[in-house]
Amino acid sequence: MSRTFTGHRLRPLAATGLLLGAALFLTACDPDSDSVTGVSAETDADSSGTASKAGAGSREDGAVTGILTCLAPGKLKVDGRPFWLTEDTEIWGAGGLCGSGEGQVAEECSEEELENAAKEGTVTVEVTIEEGMATRITEA
């Protein structure tokens, strides 16, 4: 009896690919960071056990200034305050995030440039946060 291809041989390969992809995602920004291991320390739960809307505890919206660090792709932290990037987040740099730093005018930066700077953890920024989302990031 001849054996026909039924796809059973692809399942271990797909599972291996899924595990490798998950491992890369979890270590994308800072594999040594304690904050990558769990989100529970960053979110508060109300009395019903659901996460709060702000996602970062009872901190108020507004501007936060500090060293930019990376938690995960699209999720960064400044001065201990985690926040998410959106498609509408304005990112402005003056040499540390992007640009040459020679001019007096800030340049618009890409999300990739922002995350690269966050991985280095050497740039001071001011982030305007609304409901856990960054609306504007400006190099300080």
Side-chain angles (χ1 to χ4, degrees):
M1 177 173 177
S2 70
R3 187 164 193 158
T4 60
F5 179 73
T6 60
H8 292 296
R9 294 181 186 161
L10 290 179
R11 288 183 184 153
L13 182 61
T16 302
L18 180 64
L19 288 174
L20 286 174
L24 287 173
F25 175 76
L26 291 174
T27 61
C29 286
D30 187 4
D32 297 326
S33 174
D34 294 336
S35 57
V36 173
T37 59
V39 178
S40 61
E42 300 171 49
T43 60
D44 284 346
D46 62 16
S47 60
S48 66
T50 58
S52 66
K53 190 172 185 178
S58 61
R59 299 180 190 183
E60 294 182 19
D61 292 344
V64 180
T65 302
I67 300 291
L68 180 69
T69 56
C70 188
L71 294 173
K75 186 171 187 182
L76 305 170
K77 180 172 71 169
V78 64
D79 193 34
R81 174 85 190 265
F83 62 90
W84 292 95
L85 297 177
T86 68
E87 291 179 8
D88 298 329
T89 302
E90 295 180 28
I91 306 167
W92 297 93
L97 293 177
C98 67
S100 65
E102 295 176 10
Q104 293 182 352
V105 178
E107 297 179 28
E108 193 164 5
C109 304
S110 69
E111 185 176 324
E112 182 180 336
E113 291 170 317
L114 177 74
E115 288 187 356
N116 287 336
K119 289 176 189 177
E120 293 176 17
T122 59
V123 180
T124 301
V125 295
E126 180 180 286
V127 182
T128 304
I129 301 173
E130 292 180 11
E131 295 185 4
M133 306 291 178
T135 58
R136 183 179 179 94
I137 301 170
T138 308
E139 185 174 342

